[in-house]
Amino acid sequence: MPLLVVGSVALDSIETPDDSRENVLGGSAVHFSYAASFFSPVKLVGVVGEDWPAEHTDLLNGRGIDTSGLQVVDGGQTFRWSGRYEPNMNDRETLEVHLNVFETFDPVLPEPYKRSEFLFLANGSPIVQMKVLDQVTGPRLAVADTMDLWINIQRDELLKLLQRIDGLMINDAEAKLLTGENNLVAAGRQIREMGPKFVVIKKGEHGAMFFSQYETYVMPAYPTSTVIDPTGAGDSFGGGLLGYLAEQGNFEPQTLKKAMAYGVVTASFNVEDFSLDRMRQITRDDIDRRLDEYRKMLTF
Amino acid sequence: MPLLVVGSVALDSIETPDDSRENVLGGSAVHFSYAASFFSPVKLVGVVGEDWPAEHTDLLNGRGIDTSGLQVVDGGQTFRWSGRYEPNMNDRETLEVHLNVFETFDPVLPEPYKRSEFLFLANGSPIVQMKVLDQVTGPRLAVADTMDLWINIQRDELLKLLQRIDGLMINDAEAKLLTGENNLVAAGRQIREMGPKFVVIKKGEHGAMFFSQYETYVMPAYPTSTVIDPTGAGDSFGGGLLGYLAEQGNFEPQTLKKAMAYGVVTASFNVEDFSLDRMRQITRDDIDRRLDEYRKMLTF
């Protein structure tokens, strides 16, 4: 099943304790799409400026990602983000944000996209996320991501969005912020009661938690000593997860759990180099082999 | 197989965001012993003062723990620790430490204890830990715990100890301190090269990692929303782990992995109330039932 993703496309400048990169391909929707493309056809809706290198579009198309919904604004500049990672490689500081063309991003879906059955609303304003949802005719599965900014400044709109989506992805600090709960298990259950059928709390290097009406479980991150750049880890986790669901065409509990595992494993490749550099080297077979290793690790 | 544990026996005063307790039963060797007693016979070596309530000894004996090695010092006071937990219930501040009789603890093993095949050296000075090791005739499995204090002030002695033990348990911050490594996978592997056949890094609410020559894996904590008091979680984790190994009488890779899972599950009960209050209510069946749930959570 094709998977529609709407969100940010960016040029990132990243400093880690050991290395740095300037203006490399990034953005939530990009990391998500690339990861998901190993599992199902992906349609990407986003916006870039005239500074956007054509080679990035080629790279995405090379993985079969449909970029006909990627709008190029003449005279505009692409969204730019720069950040610096702490020595622990889990915490980071945002150095600069230039929203540029993303500031007025008002996604208009191409006609055929409106019948998408699987939809991912990457991190963005809940107002824009709802506008996208309004354009899609009854998706079978709509999942959204969010961040602290929207919890702080568009809380009411976010709460409305939660009533309309099937799944929410959120990180640990944001889950605590949204609920005022310090215990993540309690926070996850509380968010589920705000509307979504399932909630995934992303814990960075500590993995991810899943909550539905029937189940609560945790999956650890795949243990790798090669953590070069964690940027996009959460989005590639989401891409692996939703990509697998779209591939399977269902979201039964066992499919969801295997999708969580695929998310963990896909993200573990993403952090092994800057931007999509590691992801460009791998195949679905590499992901499946690591999934087998991961399953063995958790079998006792 | 009987399991010998040597370490601190304490009276703890604990403040959490919601509640507090004064002078309750605690100490590394106590939490460890009680948890291990669900799996195998335990012999406890420690020291207390004349303020030690006899009911605590009764409680330990009630679970079949042999306390003939628990020395009572006339005119002395029992080791006391007090601490306050942060709202996240993972970080804590030590408010007061009175080592009292534990300051000059010089464990002398009763004769029959010297032939113990399974030995746990709970957190303590590596000098004292080595003195214990010197008294035991070729244990089949010797595992130690340590803490930041000893890494800082008795590093050389700790490094010598690492050459003589089979396994080390250490928490995440201490593993980083010992190695200077920020990546826990790299840190765990580096510590293993310092001597022990296996290393377990305890990550609190995020579970634990295992490292041997053959394997690296992570197990998440059992997700519970009932976290009343995390004190002793690491020690009850160790008790479940070593208790199961002693019960099985071997430490094959698959036994070790199941032991890790038992450690996780046993610790998840310990945090559900102050001191040993929750542990007193459970049976081995409760632990086994939760182990089954935990296994299901990790099966995809």
Side-chain angles (χ1 to χ4, degrees):
Chain A
M1 291 272 179
L3 172 58
L4 174 63
V5 48
V6 183
S8 68
V9 176
L11 297 174
D12 290 343
S13 293
I14 295 156
E15 289 177 38
T16 68
D18 296 325
D19 209 346
S20 66
R21 290 290 184 281
E22 293 212 348
N23 297 319
V24 293
L25 178 57
S28 298
V30 167
H31 283 285
F32 180 95
S33 296
Y34 205 89
S37 73
F38 290 96
F39 301 90
S40 62
V42 177
K43 299 173 200 298
L44 168 62
V45 171
V47 64
V48 293
E50 62 180 16
D51 55 344
W52 176 252
E55 66 191 66
H56 290 346
T57 304
D58 295 343
L59 175 67
L60 299 171
N61 294 156
R63 283 235 32 101
I65 297 167
D66 179 347
T67 54
S68 57
L70 183 63
Q71 191 195 343
V72 183
V73 177
D74 285 338
Q77 294 285 302
T78 303
F79 174 24
R80 291 183 191 235
W81 176 83
S82 67
R84 182 193 295 136
Y85 284 88
E86 301 288 317
N88 70 14
M89 293 297 267
N90 209 34
D91 302 317
R92 72 184 181 196
E93 183 191 355
T94 292
L95 299 175
E96 282 188 67
V97 178
H98 300 284
L99 290 174
N100 296 332
V101 295
F102 192 62
E103 188 159 10
T104 52
F105 180 44
D106 186 14
V108 177
L109 302 186
E111 205 52 43
Y113 283 25
K114 296 183 178 174
R115 293 180 299 277
S116 295
E117 298 200 23
F118 287 79
L119 169 63
F120 182 67
L121 302 162
N123 171 34
S125 148
I127 295 172
V128 174
Q129 289 175 317
M130 271 192 283
K131 274 190 182 174
V132 174
L133 214 45
D134 288 337
Q135 296 174 58
V136 181
T137 326
R140 285 175 57 204
L141 186 81
V143 176
D145 197 341
T146 193
M147 73 183 288
D148 48 1
L149 177 68
W150 313 119
I151 298 171
N152 285 322
I153 70 170
Q154 292 185 2
R155 190 184 172 86
D156 290 346
E157 291 81 359
L158 178 61
L159 292 177
K160 273 184 212 154
L161 177 76
L162 293 183
Q163 303 275 353
R164 297 184 55 191
I165 55 174
D166 301 289
L168 181 72
M169 299 208 183
I170 189 167
N171 78 25
D172 41 6
E174 293 156 358
K176 291 177 181 182
L177 179 67
L178 179 58
T179 59
E181 261 292 346
N182 264 300
N183 179 289
L184 285 178
V185 177
R189 289 179 180 155
Q190 211 172 304
I191 297 171
R192 215 196 46 76
E193 284 167 10
M194 294 175 181
K197 291 187 193 70
F198 67 87
V199 173
V200 176
I201 298 183
K202 299 178 286 184
K203 303 199 297 169
E205 64 170 323
H206 300 300
M209 305 178 91
F210 179 91
F211 303 88
S212 72
Q213 190 184 342
Y214 314 102
E215 288 181 300
T216 296
Y217 55 80
V218 193
M219 293 200 162
Y222 178 88
T224 173
S225 59
T226 315
V227 181
I228 304 290
D229 172 21
T231 311
D235 295 303
S236 58
F237 166 81
L241 196 166
L242 261 77
Y244 180 72
L245 290 180
E247 180 186 55
Q248 297 300 307
N250 76 74
F251 22 94
E252 297 299 315
Q254 274 309 313
T255 312
L256 272 162
K257 196 184 272 182
K258 193 163 173 186
M260 284 278 290
Y262 265 119
V264 163
V265 163
T266 307
S268 77
F269 285 107
N270 193 84
V271 304
E272 290 180 351
D273 208 340
F274 284 95
S275 184
L276 295 175
D277 292 357
R278 179 70 178 119
M279 299 296 278
R280 294 170 70 160
Q281 299 170 336
I282 64 167
T283 64
R284 172 66 181 267
D285 279 351
D286 293 315
I287 295 175
D288 282 330
R289 264 193 295 273
R290 193 170 282 188
L291 188 84
D292 285 342
E293 279 176 50
Y294 184 64
R295 181 186 282 117
K296 272 186 210 127
M297 282 186 183
L298 298 177
T299 304
F300 56 85
Chain B
M1 293 273 180
L3 172 59
L4 174 63
V5 49
V6 183
S8 68
V9 176
L11 297 173
D12 291 341
S13 292
I14 295 155
E15 290 177 36
T16 68
D18 296 324
D19 208 346
S20 66
R21 289 290 184 282
E22 291 211 350
N23 297 319
V24 293
L25 176 57
S28 298
V30 168
H31 282 285
F32 180 96
S33 296
Y34 204 88
S37 73
F38 291 96
F39 301 91
S40 62
V42 177
K43 300 173 199 299
L44 169 61
V45 172
V47 65
V48 294
E50 62 181 17
D51 55 344
W52 176 250
E55 67 190 66
H56 290 345
T57 303
D58 296 344
L59 176 67
L60 299 172
N61 294 156
R63 281 232 37 98
I65 297 167
D66 179 347
T67 55
S68 57
L70 183 63
Q71 189 194 345
V72 183
V73 177
D74 285 339
Q77 294 284 303
T78 303
F79 173 25
R80 291 185 190 233
W81 176 83
S82 66
R84 182 192 294 136
Y85 284 88
E86 301 288 318
N88 70 14
M89 293 295 268
N90 208 34
D91 301 317
R92 72 184 181 195
E93 182 190 356
T94 292
L95 299 174
E96 281 188 67
V97 177
H98 299 285
L99 290 174
N100 297 330
V101 295
F102 191 61
E103 188 160 10
T104 52
F105 180 43
D106 186 15
V108 177
L109 302 186
E111 205 52 44
Y113 283 24
K114 296 184 178 172
R115 294 181 298 278
S116 296
E117 298 198 23
F118 288 79
L119 170 64
F120 182 66
L121 302 162
N123 171 34
S125 146
I127 294 172
V128 174
Q129 289 175 318
M130 272 191 286
K131 274 189 180 174
V132 174
L133 215 44
D134 289 337
Q135 296 174 58
V136 181
T137 326
R140 285 176 56 205
L141 186 80
V143 176
D145 198 342
T146 193
M147 72 182 290
D148 48 2
L149 177 67
W150 313 118
I151 297 171
N152 285 322
I153 70 169
Q154 292 183 3
R155 190 186 171 86
D156 289 347
E157 291 80 359
L158 179 60
L159 292 177
K160 273 182 212 153
L161 177 77
L162 292 183
Q163 303 274 353
R164 297 184 53 190
I165 55 174
D166 300 291
L168 180 73
M169 298 208 184
I170 189 167
N171 79 25
D172 41 4
E174 293 156 359
K176 290 177 182 181
L177 178 66
L178 179 57
T179 59
E181 260 292 345
N182 263 300
N183 179 289
L184 285 177
V185 177
R189 289 179 181 155
Q190 210 172 308
I191 297 171
R192 215 197 45 75
E193 284 168 12
M194 295 175 181
K197 292 187 192 69
F198 67 86
V199 173
V200 176
I201 298 183
K202 300 179 286 184
K203 303 199 298 169
E205 65 170 323
H206 300 300
M209 305 178 92
F210 179 90
F211 303 87
S212 73
Q213 190 184 342
Y214 314 103
E215 286 182 303
T216 296
Y217 54 82
V218 193
M219 292 199 162
Y222 179 89
T224 174
S225 58
T226 316
V227 181
I228 304 291
D229 172 20
T231 310
D235 295 303
S236 58
F237 165 81
L241 196 166
L242 260 76
Y244 179 73
L245 291 180
E247 180 187 55
Q248 297 302 306
N250 75 74
F251 21 93
E252 297 298 313
Q254 274 307 312
T255 313
L256 272 162
K257 196 184 272 183
K258 194 165 172 187
M260 284 278 291
Y262 265 119
V264 164
V265 163
T266 309
S268 77
F269 285 107
N270 193 84
V271 303
E272 290 180 350
D273 209 340
F274 284 95
S275 185
L276 295 175
D277 292 358
R278 179 68 178 120
M279 298 296 279
R280 294 169 69 160
Q281 300 171 336
I282 64 168
T283 63
R284 173 66 181 266
D285 278 351
D286 293 315
I287 295 175
D288 282 330
R289 264 193 295 274
R290 193 171 281 188
L291 188 83
D292 284 342
E293 279 176 50
Y294 183 63
R295 182 187 281 116
K296 273 186 208 125
M297 283 186 181
L298 298 177
T299 303
F300 57 84

